[in-house]
């Protein structure tokens, strides 16, 4: 039987609008599973006139009857989680063991990870990655290092946790003093704080791999919610200017503990233009009035850090590459309304490197290529109330058609505003994506 599961991923450098798509699909899903990243992510959802910014809790939390899973591939920050849970509860959202599960094998982001992220970026100065300072890189480094890692299951055993924190905390204090001349952290206070956090979260900690595999075996619909964007993937992005986990659909099986065939249909979410936060190559960047127009109109400021995002034209070389990497079935084209009012709109459709056209996309070349643009006529009408493709101005419809053609994939939906109803369904084959 064909899987009804869906994986939603970002095809650029994050902030593509995945939250809105996941929120739409969550209504027909039984499980919503985060498999990568951590509190560096920021999903903004507008529902019932209210705006929710979620960092760690999966978007399905706003729907009844959905089990939300923070799986083993996540860098889990218990402090952020407890804070986010309380904030949501204060706004009337129910959260408990019946709708939130946290993997006992997810890695814990510890205070020293956040400190190291900051100190390391400060020291790197001009060479910095431009991280969100959420401790993501140092946490995944400790995961690979093993002996200095703390996993969620450890939070539940005070004795083991205290032992681990004392041992690792002492190591970190010595490293930070030597490398950054930092003041030592209060290890006992950390042990107490994390024991408390473990007590708060304990009822929700589970073997989520077994739970999600069981759901798959019983044909319950699972939605895998990607964080960041594929160009930030640790293996396949613009390394080293990437995040530290496997954010493409390739990361789903190991990040959630499911067989590859559980991935199901893949929806690739892309903006009608490009943005990036942090350092790293960005060939279509418009550090000019056009970029500023997009930034202001698209409110392109980070959900997690508030940083202004770098803005530029759509790069289909990027999107074609990331869509191929994850086997994307359909595209969700977001924020088309932001392009209204521009006389001309450009799409980068190829690169040249040393005077020759680049045939095979290579993220390592991205800082060195020249863009070949195609220029399309813009449109002046406000399209944010359009409900059907036919209602769009000819030039906007033409833009959608050309994007689909250049990426060789159907555009399943077009988004023209943050609201759930500001969505144009074109030819989606994905159940529930309306
Ligand atoms: P880190 O994930 O905090 O280590 O940051 C590494 C890079 O990924 C930086 O360029 C961040 O700006 C970027 N990044 C991480 N998470 C997101 C996200 O959710 N949206 C956009 N960029 C992100």
């Amino acid at each position: 039987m064909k899987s009804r599961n869906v994986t939603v991923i970002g095809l650029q450098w994050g902030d593509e609008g995945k939250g809105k798509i996941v929120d739409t699909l969550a209504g027909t899903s039984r499980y919503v599973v985060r498999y990568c990243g951590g509190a560096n992510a920021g999903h903004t959802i507008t529902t019932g006139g209210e705006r929710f910014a979620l960092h760690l809790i999966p978007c399905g939390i706003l729907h009844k009857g959905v089990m939300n899973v923070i799986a083993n591939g996540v860098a889990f920050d218990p402090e952020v989680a407890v804070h986010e849970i309380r904030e949501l509860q204060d706004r009337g959202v129910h959260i408990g063991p019946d709708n939130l599960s946290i993997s006992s094998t997810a890695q814990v982001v510890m205070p020293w990870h956040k400190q190291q992220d900051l100190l390391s970026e400060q020291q790197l100065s001009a060479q910095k990655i431009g991280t969100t300072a959420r401790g993501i890189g140092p946490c995944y480094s400790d995961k690979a290092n093993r002996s200095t890692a703390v996993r969620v299951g450890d939070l539940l055993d005070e004795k083991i946790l205290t032992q681990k924190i004392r041992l690792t905390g002492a190591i970190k204090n010595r490293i930070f003093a030597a490398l950054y001349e930092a003041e030592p952290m209060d290890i006992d206070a950390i042990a107490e704080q994390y024991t408390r956090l473990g007590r708060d979260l304990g009822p929700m900690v589970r073997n989520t791999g077994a739970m999600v595999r069981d759901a798959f075996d019983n044909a319950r619909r699972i939605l895998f919610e990607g964080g960041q964007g594929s160009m930030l993937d640790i293996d396949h992005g613009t390394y080293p200017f990437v995040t530290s986990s496997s954010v493409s659909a390739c990361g789903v099986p190991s990040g959630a503990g499911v067989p590859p065939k559980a991935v199901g249909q893949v929806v690739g979410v892309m903006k009608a233009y490009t943005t990036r936060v942090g350092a790293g190559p960005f060939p279509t960047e418009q550090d000019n009035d056009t970029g500023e127009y997009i930034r202001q109109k698209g409110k392109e400021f980070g959900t997690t850090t508030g940083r202004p995002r770098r803005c530029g034209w759509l790069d289909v070389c990027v999107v074609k590459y990331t869509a191929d990497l994850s086997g994307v079935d359909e595209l969700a084209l977001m924020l088309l309304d932001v392009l209204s009012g521009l006389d001309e709109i450009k799409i980068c459709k190829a690169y040249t490197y040393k005077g020759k056209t680049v045939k095979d996309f290579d993220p390592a070349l991205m800082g060195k290529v020249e863009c070949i643009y195609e220029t399309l006529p813009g449109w002046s009408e406000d399209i944010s109330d359009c409900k059907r493709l036919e209602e769009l101005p000819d030039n906007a419809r033409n833009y959608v058609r050309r994007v689909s053609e250049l990426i060789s994939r159907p555009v399943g939906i077009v988004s023209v505003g943050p609201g759930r109803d500001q969505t144009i369904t074109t030819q989606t084959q994905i159940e529930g994506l309306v």
Side-chain angles (χ1 to χ4, degrees):
M1 196 180 75
K2 205 168 156 229
S3 167
R4 291 170 61 237
N5 296 349
V6 187
T7 293
V8 176
I9 53 155
L11 296 179
Q12 293 154 312
W13 279 281
D15 311 313
E16 294 92 349
K18 296 177 290 294
K20 174 168 165 171
I21 302 300
V22 174
D23 181 48
T24 305
L25 286 166
T28 50
S29 304
R30 290 287 294 277
Y31 291 77
V32 177
V33 183
R34 272 281 305 268
Y35 61 91
C36 66
N40 50 348
H43 288 169
T44 312
I45 295 160
T46 307
T47 175
E50 277 200 82
R51 199 166 166 271
F52 294 87
L54 303 173
H55 298 287
L56 207 46
I57 309 294
C59 297
I61 206 74
L62 302 173
H63 292 262
K64 287 204 167 59
V66 174
M67 174 52 85
N68 294 276
V69 179
I70 298 177
N72 59 281
V74 171
F76 180 75
D77 186 330
E79 213 182 344
V80 172
V82 166
H83 180 76
E84 205 164 301
I85 290 170
R86 293 212 174 116
E87 260 191 3
L88 286 163
Q89 285 172 335
D90 286 348
R91 293 176 71 181
V93 179
H94 165 75
I95 304 183
D98 58 327
N99 71 344
L100 181 63
S101 298
I102 304 161
S103 169
S104 56
T105 58
Q107 295 290 316
V108 177
V109 176
M110 298 297 296
W112 46 78
H113 294 138
K114 292 183 252 194
Q115 191 171 353
Q116 191 182 347
D117 207 349
L118 274 174
L119 292 170
S120 153
E121 287 279 279
Q122 272 163 16
Q123 198 174 60
L124 284 168
S125 181
Q127 271 76 48
K128 68 181 180 188
I129 309 280
T131 72
T132 59
R134 297 301 187 264
I136 302 297
C139 177
Y140 284 115
S141 301
D142 274 339
K143 173 180 185 175
N145 193 44
R146 296 153 297 166
S147 58
T148 46
V150 177
R151 303 208 293 183
V152 169
D154 299 329
L155 297 176
L156 308 188
D157 186 322
E158 188 171 350
K159 205 166 149 214
I160 291 180
L161 182 68
T162 307
Q163 258 172 15
K164 282 207 171 199
I165 289 181
R166 288 215 174 117
L167 187 72
T168 306
I171 296 171
K172 299 290 179 185
N173 270 344
R174 290 175 68 184
I175 294 174
F176 293 175
L179 286 182
Y180 315 111
E181 292 173 8
E183 290 294 317
M185 294 170 285
D186 183 344
I187 304 301
D188 286 337
I190 294 174
E192 266 175 43
Q193 183 196 2
Y194 277 68
T195 304
R196 255 197 329 272
L197 290 166
R199 252 183 244 131
D200 288 348
L201 295 165
M204 290 170 265
V205 175
R206 295 195 174 105
N207 177 348
T208 59
M211 174 189 244
V212 181
R213 285 192 297 279
D214 186 60
F216 179 54
D217 289 343
N218 288 295
R220 305 263 186 267
R221 193 178 203 211
I222 308 166
L223 172 57
F224 295 100
E225 172 187 335
Q228 291 81 44
S230 305
M231 291 305 283
L232 291 171
D233 186 282
I234 180 84
D235 287 294
H236 305 291
T238 43
Y239 194 89
F241 301 101
V242 292
T243 189
S244 303
S245 63
S246 299
V247 306
S248 75
C250 308
V252 170
S254 68
V258 293
K261 61 187 172 191
V263 166
Q265 287 170 294
V266 183
V267 179
V269 188
M270 59 180 286
K271 278 178 174 163
Y273 47 91
T274 313
T275 63
R276 165 159 217 179
V277 213
F282 179 179
T284 61
E285 181 168 16
Q286 299 298 302
D287 194 7
N288 53 27
D289 288 350
T290 305
E292 192 52 33
Y293 181 87
I294 294 174
R295 185 173 307 112
Q296 294 305 331
K297 197 139 184 252
K299 301 188 183 67
E300 294 294 357
F301 298 88
T303 324
T304 303
T305 59
R307 290 181 288 180
R309 296 178 182 143
R310 299 159 65 193
C311 298
W313 298 120
L314 176 62
D315 186 337
V316 293
C317 307
V318 161
V319 180
K320 174 85 172 58
Y321 162 69
T322 52
D324 287 349
L325 172 69
S326 288
V328 162
D329 294 294
E330 269 186 28
L331 301 168
L333 184 62
M334 313 303 285
L335 292 134
L336 186 67
D337 53 304
V338 172
L339 296 182
S340 294
L342 290 165
D343 293 339
E344 289 185 332
I345 301 172
K346 293 189 183 197
I347 299 179
C348 169
K349 59 176 186 179
Y351 301 139
T352 56
Y353 175 58
K354 293 188 175 169
K356 289 205 179 104
T357 305
V358 175
K359 284 212 183 68
D360 296 318
F361 183 92
D362 179 356
L365 278 187
M366 285 203 81
K368 302 174 187 153
V369 294
E370 303 279 334
C371 294
I372 302 175
Y373 286 107
E374 177 171 313
T375 304
L376 282 88
W379 59 92
S380 57
E381 297 89 334
D382 176 3
I383 59 170
S384 55
D385 283 331
C386 292
K387 301 277 179 268
R388 294 181 306 124
L389 208 54
E390 300 78 62
E391 291 172 26
L392 288 176
D394 287 351
N395 289 347
R397 222 171 32 240
N398 186 39
Y399 188 76
V400 176
R401 186 190 53 72
R402 191 65 183 133
V403 168
S404 169
E405 203 169 81
L406 287 167
I407 303 170
S408 315
R409 281 179 168 82
V411 172
I413 71 144
V414 178
S415 175
V416 290
R420 272 191 200 165
D421 58 337
Q422 291 177 295
T423 307
I424 299 172
T425 308
T426 62
Q427 45 179 315
T428 184
Q429 301 296 313
I430 314 252
E431 180 193 332
L433 190 57
V434 274

